[in-house]
Amino acid sequence: ENELLLLNSAFDPLAGVKVMDSSKQDVTANLTVQSSVKTDVVGRYSVKYTFDKEGYEPLTVYRQITVAPYNSPRIEGLKDMYLFKGEALTMPTNIKAYNVMGLQINGVQMKTDRPVAATGDYAVTFSVIDHYGYSYEETKKLTVLAKEASFIDVPVAHPYFKEIQLMKEMKIINGYPDKTFKPASSISRQHVAALIYRSGISLEPIREKITFADVPESHPYYTEIMALYQAGIIDGSNGKFNPNNALTRAQLAKILVNAFKLELQPANVLPFAATDNHWAKDYINNL
């Protein structure tokens, strides 16, 4: 059979291969093999098997071996999803698929375990088949929510109702004890760190911890701030983090781009005159 090998793995073209005649006699000794397989070089190779024995009909069989860095295609960007009742389910725009060679491909398919209608949880399966015929699938949860407000100052008609309500459902934000969200208030650096930390993104550390003079280990947001610092998402200034300071839109743009590893989509860039010579121009364009 054709076979997929991981790069630098061992390969024996005769492993598991036999030649049996009609009387079930093993005549493999008369089999010769020509193999072009290089397991240390990514590519597709051919193995030629030739059987030749007096008294038997000659036979030649070809086998294809693919040497690749991955043992199946991949789909990146998958995560559990949320919809409000009445909204249509569409393919998330951040999903990318790669074949076994690591090259980006199209063709991701999406299907649900049942028609999406009422509120509740559904299973959504994503699948892809690459150019080599190898397949991959993964299932995520879809939660359909009732369109009801959780905060008295963020009604359903609020222009940012969906974003705020989803963050509430995902336990990223809590609001205040009086059931308000205060949507027009500014946000502090420490609270931004907390929100990004709670979002569940990968925070792989790329640098050692440091000591901020104004963020001791007893600080209520020490864990969140230090996790983002170690991941290279936020920095301090003059030995301080200034956790209570409000963020500018430009500073937040940089944090979001770094945290979510956002890539520039040139076709979507808008011409903001105010950012032409701004230090955060690239981050703002990404957003």
Side-chain angles (χ1 to χ4, degrees), residues 189 207 210 212 229 234-242:
R189 291 167 58 83
R207 56 188 178 184
I210 65 168
F212 290 122
Y229 172 79
I234 58 174
D235 293 295
S237 177
N238 299 318
K240 294 184 177 181
F241 179 69
N242 301 309

Side-chain angles (χ1 to χ4, degrees), residues 107-123:
V108 176
Q109 302 293 314
M110 177 178 67
K111 66 178 182 179
T112 57
D113 59 341
R114 63 190 190 280
V116 177
T119 58
D121 293 335
Y122 299 79

Side-chain angles (χ1 to χ4, degrees), residues 2-195:
N2 296 334
E3 188 174 350
L4 174 66
L5 296 178
L6 284 177
L7 189 64
N8 296 317
S9 61
F11 174 63
D12 177 2
L14 281 173
V17 175
K18 287 185 179 181
V19 185
M20 309 294 288
D21 67 11
S22 57
S23 62
K24 297 187 178 181
Q25 179 182 351
D26 189 336
V27 288
T28 308
N30 298 91
L31 182 68
T32 58
V33 180
Q34 291 178 283
S35 173
S36 63
V37 177
K38 297 179 181 178
T39 59
D40 60 341
V41 179
V42 168
R44 306 193 82 189
Y45 300 92
S46 177
V47 182
K48 180 182 179 181
Y49 297 88
T50 303
F51 173 76
D52 191 7
K53 177 178 172 61
E54 185 177 352
Y56 290 83
E57 182 178 348
L59 181 64
T60 298
V61 175
Y62 291 89
R63 178 186 187 193
Q64 185 171 271
I65 302 297
T66 301
V67 177
Y70 305 103
N71 58 10
S72 76
R74 297 172 293 147
I75 304 177
E76 294 186 354
L78 297 180
K79 58 183 178 181
D80 293 340
M81 298 181 292
Y82 295 84
L83 281 181
F84 288 103
K85 187 177 179 180
E87 289 185 323
L89 175 62
T90 58
M91 180 73 71
T93 56
N94 63 318
I95 285 180
K96 295 180 180 180
Y98 300 86
N99 64 16
V100 292
M101 298 296 187
L103 300 176
Q104 189 171 343
I105 57 175
N106 298 317
V108 176
Q109 302 293 314
M110 177 178 67
K111 66 178 182 179
T112 57
D113 59 341
R114 63 190 190 280
V116 177
T119 58
D121 293 335
Y122 299 79
V124 184
T125 300
F126 297 87
S127 60
V128 70
I129 300 177
D130 69 11
H131 308 84
Y132 305 105
Y134 300 106
S135 61
Y136 177 81
E137 73 173 32
E138 186 173 340
T139 299
K140 292 295 182 181
K141 183 174 74 172
L142 166 68
T143 300
V144 176
L145 305 168
K147 203 165 187 179
E148 299 173 353
S150 292
F151 304 111
I152 58 176
D153 52 356
V154 186
V156 171
H158 191 282
Y160 299 112
F161 165 79
K162 180 178 178 180
E163 291 81 358
I164 294 170
Q165 188 64 26
L166 283 180
M167 290 178 75
K168 171 68 165 58
E169 294 289 342
M170 296 170 69
K171 302 186 185 328
I172 296 174
I173 58 173
N174 300 310
Y176 293 87
D178 61 357
K179 295 187 177 180
T180 62
F181 176 70
K182 306 187 190 306
S185 298
S186 60
I187 190 167
S188 66
R189 291 167 58 83
Q190 63 184 6
H191 289 152
V192 167
L195 298 186

Side-chain angles (χ1 to χ4, degrees), residues 260-278:
F260 294 95
K261 298 179 174 59
L262 303 181
E263 297 178 1
L264 183 67
Q265 303 295 327
N268 296 334
V269 173
L270 297 174
F272 295 124
T275 66
D276 282 347
N277 299 308
H278 199 282

